[in-house]
Amino acid sequence: MPTLLAAVPAAPPLPSPTAATAIAWAAWLTLMGFPGLVAFALVTADPAARRVDEGTRHAVTTRLSRCAVLLAVLAVPAVLADLAQDATTGSRYSAAWHSLYDGTGAGLLAGLEITLVLLGAVLVAPLAVRAAPHRWRRGLLVAGLVAGAAALATTKLPAEATDDLARTCWKTAVWLVHLWFGASWLGGLAGLLVLAVPGVIAPGDRGAFWSAAIRRFSAVAMTGVGAIALSGLFLYWSHVDGPSQLLSTLYGRTLGVKIVLFGALLLLGIANQFWLHPRIEAARAAGDTRPLRTLLLRRFPAVVAVELVLILAILLVAPMLHGSAREQAVQSAAGSTTVHLPDKQAGPLTWVLGSAETLAVLAVLIAGYRVSGRIARRRAEAARRTARPAAGRGARDRPVVSGGTRRSRGSG
């Protein structure tokens, strides 16, 4: 008797937790890296290269665009692999592909995620292959950045309508600030390392370019630190009821690791801002290319590489955060995983404390940027004063050629 029902193919086994974390990490890395690199090219590298010459500007944009396009292309299989982890029947990758634009809210967002990141790659590609006129450079970068930022935004947009629209919009906005500024920090550090590779910028142009680029990136990075810290404080308030839950719950311990990594990253950024950057400014002001080259090609890229590794570690830890410490604490006490808590409600005191935290963070960032700039200017001025007498002595001692015969000044 023929079989009336076709056999449903069994789903392959789910990936191990380690593999699942690696897949999620790859998806976040590529989705955040693409707009981050484009933003770095648009806001930091291109304006700094404009102060040098058109050749440097062209070389810088081309190198960053190639790296950005590569990340955008890699984002497609990474996102599909991440979606495939949720499939329950048949071929997981086939199911992930067919879930795009399948008529559901989640399918629409997943489809837009891949479509937008590919659109961003198409927009930036002419700059990567040097096929776009110079006058299109900034327009293509802006369009690519908008597409990449929109693709990243789809990861946190709600797939279904909710009853509390105002709260949903607020939480979504906080998440987007957290992701967008995190992407700008990640892309900026990666872009600095990419441009520090010998051969991108001519040796004679490095001083002028790096002095401007580092200063501009410092402003972007400090803005990102403030945005990430403030959005992180809100997310901490939403998911954790007090510091004790950082140790008593899995969510809290994982979040604690992320906080420690962020703190280490912040300390390195402070060291850059108040120690390394002023030294680079002073070396350039003194006209001493040897120390400047040593700082840029040894110390500065090494510190930036460590910062980049810390950000990658944060992206590795972040996908492990599921649920909230609040729920896990209640579930542990009740001995059941089915207990769910309603979202926290913000009262007047919460808004007062939140406003105070915001003002405090802004004050610290503005003061830090101004103080570091003052330190850099003082070091540069001191280096100029030291360089002038040395230059004068060198001119007096330099041999003079007269009538084809070399003689010392004052020899008669």
Side-chain angles (χ1 to χ4, degrees), residues 15 106 142 171:
V142 170
K171 289 177 65 176

Side-chain angles (χ1 to χ4, degrees), residues 23-24 26-32 34-35 71-83 86 96 99-101 105-121 146-157 179:
I23 291 172
W28 283 115
L29 173 61
T30 51
L31 282 174
M32 296 177 69
F34 170 69
L71 285 177
V73 172
L74 292 176
V76 176
V79 171
L80 285 174
D82 196 30
L83 291 173
D86 298 329
S99 69
L100 308 179
Y101 300 111
L108 174 62
L109 291 176
L112 287 174
E113 185 177 345
I114 289 180
T115 302
L116 288 170
V117 76
L118 283 177
L119 175 62
V146 170
L152 186 57
T154 60
T155 61
K156 292 300 178 183
L157 294 178
L179 290 177

Side-chain angles (χ1 to χ4, degrees), residues 5-13 87-95 98:
L5 296 177
V8 177
T88 57
T89 59
S91 171
R92 295 193 186 280
Y93 287 96
S94 176
H98 287 95

Side-chain angles (χ1 to χ4, degrees), residues 291-381:
L292 179 62
R293 188 178 296 114
T294 300
L295 284 172
L296 291 177
L297 298 184
R298 293 182 184 175
R299 297 181 185 178
F300 180 67
V303 175
V304 171
V306 174
E307 291 184 30
L308 184 59
V309 169
L310 288 174
I311 286 189
L312 296 179
I314 291 174
L315 290 181
L316 185 63
V317 172
M320 302 179 189
L321 292 170
H322 299 289
S324 72
R326 298 172 60 239
E327 281 193 348
Q328 290 180 5
V330 173
Q331 290 170 353
S332 177
S336 173
T337 59
T338 60
V339 179
H340 297 287
L341 295 179
D343 291 334
K344 275 187 178 180
Q345 298 299 320
L349 180 61
T350 305
W351 287 107
V352 171
L353 293 176
S355 300
E357 289 172 347
T358 302
L359 293 175
V361 170
L362 291 177
V364 169
L365 291 177
I366 293 172
Y369 185 76
R370 292 175 66 88
V371 169
S372 65
R374 195 170 302 162
I375 293 173
R377 287 191 294 271
R378 287 178 180 174
R379 277 184 172 270
E381 185 59 32

